[in-house]
Amino acid sequence: SAIMSSYFLNEKLNIHGKLGCVLSILGSTVMVIHAPEEEEVTSLDEMERKLQDPAFVTFAVLLTVVALVLIVFVAPKRGQTNILIYILICSLIGAFSVSSVKGLGIAIKQMLERKPVYDHPLVYILVGILVLSVSTQINYLNKALDMFNTSLVTPIYYVCFTMTVVTCSIILFKEWTSMDPGDIIGTLSGFCSIIIGIFLLHAFKNTNITWSQLMSTVAKEPSLP
């Protein structure tokens, strides 16, 4: 999206932004390579037990409180000047949408197996959460795209959303219990690469340095006769 926005929307991405995108992609790839296998959930009853786990409930309440503070107090004052406000709202709410999709996928699978899923109240709760979270994400993502450069919004949103969803998945499915030290180091290394990439994207967004200018500064000056 960052590349296409530079061609079709004339939103230029400087060399720091390009390096930031590359580092973010590499960091995400490393995290995926070292990610543990997700615990298989085959029924709505199992999903309900996991959603009622105290660790996940605490995490969900914390996300909700932070998102509400950003929406009610921070966004009206700083949303139009700070690119991270709207993106953080979308990313935090995104954890609920992904969890809802996971549960609804299990419900659809059970429905195809001709099991009575319509009597389970969790299905309707997940549908309501999914509609509310997706509509909130679309609303604030559109605001971010209206106010800020698409080539900046898209990579930052991708990374923040991915980190929130990965954290939610780790807490919900207890994935850290199957990680060995090598995978933990790999995951942390990928996370650090993502942070560095986002820093380059955001901190140097107004720095107009092109590749040709950079090469011209390191080129050897011709010797005088």
Side-chain angles (χ1 to χ4, degrees):
S1 298
I3 295 173
M4 292 177 66
S5 65
S6 64
Y7 282 101
F8 296 105
L9 302 178
N10 293 323
E11 296 179 349
K12 301 302 181 183
L13 194 65
N14 58 20
I15 189 170
H16 298 89
K18 294 175 182 177
L19 289 175
C21 289
V22 172
L23 285 174
S24 299
I25 294 174
L26 291 177
S28 302
T29 305
V30 171
M31 289 187 70
V32 170
I33 291 174
H34 293 278
E37 293 185 3
E38 184 177 293
E39 181 181 352
E40 186 177 1
V41 180
T42 58
S43 66
L44 288 174
D45 292 330
E46 293 182 29
M47 189 68 181
E48 184 178 5
R49 286 194 295 269
K50 291 189 175 296
L51 292 174
Q52 292 175 352
D53 184 79
F56 178 76
V57 172
T58 303
F59 176 74
V61 171
L62 181 63
L63 284 187
T64 304
V65 170
V66 174
L68 289 176
V69 170
L70 290 175
I71 292 173
V72 176
F73 299 104
V74 181
K77 296 180 180 180
R78 300 185 179 181
Q80 297 182 353
T81 57
N82 193 326
I83 190 174
L84 293 176
I85 303 301
Y86 292 148
I87 294 177
L88 284 178
I89 293 173
C90 297
S91 303
L92 295 175
I93 299 298
F96 297 109
S97 63
V98 173
S99 301
S100 301
V101 169
K102 175 71 174 181
L104 291 175
I106 296 171
I108 293 173
K109 181 180 178 181
Q110 287 189 295
M111 183 180 65
L112 296 176
E113 295 173 353
R114 301 186 181 279
K115 294 181 179 180
V117 298
Y118 300 105
D119 299 332
H120 207 298
L122 181 62
V123 174
Y124 305 99
I125 295 175
L126 292 176
V127 170
I129 294 175
L130 180 62
V131 172
L132 182 62
S133 59
V134 170
S135 59
T136 303
Q137 285 178 260
I138 293 174
N139 178 37
Y140 284 97
L141 183 59
N142 283 333
K143 288 183 177 181
L145 291 172
D146 287 340
M147 297 300 302
F148 303 102
N149 196 319
T150 306
S151 60
L152 288 175
V153 172
T154 306
I156 295 175
Y157 173 62
Y158 159 71
V159 171
C160 293
F161 177 83
T162 302
M163 288 191 297
T164 306
V165 171
V166 168
T167 305
C168 178
S169 179
I170 289 175
I171 295 175
L172 183 60
F173 299 107
K174 303 291 189 301
E175 294 177 345
W176 67 79
T177 57
S178 62
M179 295 182 70
D180 55 35
D183 289 332
I184 294 175
I185 295 174
T187 301
L188 294 177
S189 300
F191 180 78
C192 292
S193 298
I194 290 174
I195 295 298
I196 295 173
I198 289 302
F199 175 77
L200 290 175
L201 268 169
H202 187 57
F204 299 99
K205 60 183 179 181
N206 296 322
T207 304
N208 296 320
I209 298 178
T210 62
W211 181 257
S212 58
Q213 292 174 339
L214 185 64
M215 295 303 296
S216 64
T217 59
V218 298
K220 184 177 181 180
E221 295 183 358
S223 57
L224 296 175

